[in-house]
Amino acid sequence: MIALTREISSTINRCELTHVRRQPIDLPVAREQHRQYERALESLGCAVRRLPSDDTMPDGVFIEDTAVVLPELAIVTRPGAESRRREVDAVADALAQFRPVTRVEPPGTLDGGDVLVVGRHVFAGRSSRTNDAGIEQMRLAVAPYGYALDSLSPLGCLHLKSAVTALDERTLLVNPGWISEGALTGFERLAVDPSEPGAANVVSVDGRVVAAAAFPLTCRRLRDRGFEVIEIEVTELAKAEGALTCCSLLVS
Ligand code: CIR
């Protein structure tokens, strides 16, 4: 498994924010936390390849939003925030080494954080970043490969994957306050601790989970369910409204 990551831009303090109040981000601390994240991915067996960033990409580290990678193809997105659209070209070039690449075209917008792939099932979140045209293009791109796509509308959070991520091919980690669980039938569900609404976003590889140390009660729930959990500090990236899946694209 290859994990594509992207360097934190020196302009991260000018990042987009939707639900989070702006607080100063300590760049050296953020970069050290990002290294710890990359090390956690390496400990799960990923080979990390970090793309460079530059001053024109305050949110470049959140590489997940620029593409959706399936075994058969990669869909390069058209991010909903205009300030993020220049992020996609370098990611498209990097992914072209591994997969055929297709792109979301105007008027479609789509952030990778709004797309959750579990086996042959694709959930797409309608959000302030992802519109129906973008979701429709995703549906058409994946249908030939046998993927079924459901669109959902999370509420109260930035992206679908703020509300739900996959722990394995059967089990989802969910904040029921941000998504209607009825939309997720057919999957086993584990709820985050109610005092930790942001805890549903974790990276999972082969039943081992990278989770934020800020959410100890949810980490305990994960361990009680039998998952091995690696806890890391991501306080500075959280100030940029980023979580864990957003900082990598996993290419198997
Ligand atoms: C943004 O608002 O676009 C960034 N500040 C945070 C993006 C986080 N991405 C994600 O959760 N997939």
Side-chain angles (χ1 to χ4, degrees):
M1 178 93 70
I2 290 168
L4 291 182
T5 64
R6 194 163 211 173
E7 183 187 20
I8 298 180
S9 170
S10 54
T11 55
I12 191 170
N13 274 292
R14 300 209 294 265
C15 67
E16 296 282 338
L17 291 177
T18 307
H19 298 277
V20 167
R21 187 177 50 86
R22 196 168 294 279
Q23 297 176 65
I25 297 169
D26 183 318
L27 187 60
V29 174
R31 287 189 166 147
E32 178 50 32
Q33 292 181 344
H34 189 239
R35 298 242 149 69
Q36 294 301 329
Y37 173 81
E38 291 175 331
R39 280 190 200 116
L41 292 177
E42 284 167 353
S43 77
L44 299 186
C46 297
V48 172
R49 296 205 190 157
R50 188 191 310 143
L51 303 186
S53 199
D54 66 39
D55 291 357
T56 69
M57 301 178 195
D59 282 303
V61 64
F62 302 120
I63 191 170
E64 165 184 68
D65 292 318
T66 61
V68 175
V69 183
L70 300 173
E72 300 85 357
L73 83 163
I75 297 134
V76 169
T77 68
R78 184 165 176 266
E82 204 177 336
S83 69
R84 301 199 57 191
R85 299 222 173 118
R86 58 176 65 82
E87 294 174 27
V88 299
D89 286 341
V91 177
D93 289 348
L95 287 171
Q97 300 166 47
F98 306 107
R99 299 281 192 281
V101 170
T102 176
R103 285 188 183 238
V104 175
E105 304 289 350
T109 64
L110 187 132
D111 278 13
D114 277 317
V115 180
L116 172 64
V117 182
V118 202
R120 295 269 136 187
H121 210 103
V122 179
F123 293 106
R126 208 177 280 111
S127 72
S128 61
R129 302 291 176 84
T130 296
N131 65 17
D132 283 328
I135 292 175
E136 223 26 61
Q137 289 180 39
M138 170 72 52
R139 189 195 308 278
L140 292 174
V142 301
Y145 304 99
Y147 291 88
L149 184 146
D150 278 330
S151 55
L152 336 170
S153 299
L155 286 177
C157 55
L158 180 59
H159 286 125
L160 174 68
K161 277 190 276 191
S162 319
V164 53
T165 56
L167 295 166
D168 58 31
E169 298 236 327
R170 294 179 313 280
T171 320
L172 305 177
L173 180 63
V174 185
N175 172 356
W178 285 347
I179 191 139
S180 148
E181 284 197 86
L184 307 172
T185 47
F187 291 90
E188 289 176 32
R189 295 183 296 278
L190 177 64
V192 299
D193 188 275
S195 66
E196 298 176 344
N201 186 283
V202 297
V203 174
S204 176
V205 178
D206 295 334
R208 296 162 76 204
V209 177
V210 183
F215 305 124
L217 300 176
T218 300
C219 288
R220 189 185 305 156
R221 288 184 180 206
L222 288 164
R223 292 192 178 100
D224 288 347
R225 243 330 156 101
F227 293 98
E228 183 185 324
V229 181
I230 301 171
E231 290 183 43
I232 58 170
E233 295 286 352
V234 282
T235 54
E236 298 311 293
L237 293 168
K239 292 179 192 168
E241 211 167 349
L244 294 168
T245 59
C246 22
C247 296
S248 57
L249 283 170
L250 300 182
V251 185
S252 53

